[in-house]
Amino acid sequence: MKDEFVEMGPIDYLVVEFPGNRMTGEGLPMLVDLVDRGLIRILDLMFVRKEEDGSLVGLEIADLTGDGALELAVFEGVSSGLLGEDDIQEAGAALRPGSSAGILVYENLWAAPFAAALRRGGAQLVASGRIPVPAVLDALDATDTTDPGRPPTS
């Protein structure tokens, strides 16, 4: 069974909070496009709401915005089994009461050939991370404000 997964790309997850349970669905066509173009494969997708008392409630995927359109019906029932109750609770702990969240686990198909080649060569991933966009923007702003004749200080 392990040989089946040698060609897999890196697996990532996201927990995206929607304050005040305001889900517009604006990003959903982009998610479908990423899948359609073969850039990612959705392994798990679920939505939860954190009630004012702190309890978590699962939400149906089919019509998240309440407008009657089935935005994510194509992903209904998608579950690899990677997300467990402990993962859902951990994601819920990051939410503010009265908010909802999407929990997405996906494979980066675009990186699969590169990752497989590295694994075949004996390489292994020893660290991974993300730099939040606000941190990148802050760093770029700081670079723009430094005197071009003087090297930046650390």
Side-chain angles (χ1 to χ4, degrees):
M1 177 119 171
K2 188 176 179 182
D3 291 339
E4 292 177 43
F5 299 104
V6 171
E7 298 296 319
M8 284 187 79
I11 308 296
D12 285 326
Y13 74 92
L14 300 172
V15 177
V16 179
E17 181 180 48
F18 299 95
N21 295 312
R22 289 184 310 272
M23 293 186 226
T24 65
E26 184 177 347
L28 299 178
M30 281 94 171
L31 180 61
V32 171
D33 182 58
L34 291 170
V35 172
D36 287 347
R37 291 190 295 144
L39 297 174
I40 65 169
R41 176 173 49 155
I42 305 295
L43 300 175
D44 283 294
L45 178 62
M46 62 177 45
F47 291 85
V48 296
R49 180 177 61 234
K50 188 169 190 175
E51 302 291 355
E52 293 297 332
D53 67 3
S55 62
L56 291 177
V57 176
L59 299 175
E60 289 297 317
I61 289 178
D63 182 18
L64 291 172
T65 60
D67 65 0
L70 301 179
E71 293 90 358
L72 287 180
V74 67
F75 298 124
E76 195 164 9
V78 170
S79 177
S80 68
L82 288 173
L83 282 178
E85 186 60 33
D86 55 336
D87 299 308
I88 296 165
Q89 293 300 320
E90 187 175 337
L95 300 178
R96 291 175 287 205
S99 293
S100 297
I103 306 169
L104 174 66
V105 179
Y106 61 97
E107 176 187 3
N108 291 282
L109 293 174
W110 61 270
F114 174 64
L118 291 175
R119 285 191 291 269
R120 284 191 302 272
Q124 60 183 344
L125 182 64
V126 295
S128 180
R130 299 268 172 183
I131 301 172
V133 171
V136 172
L137 295 175
D138 289 346
L140 291 173
D141 285 345
T143 301
D144 287 344
T145 62
T146 60
D147 179 10
R150 183 180 60 171
T153 59
S154 300

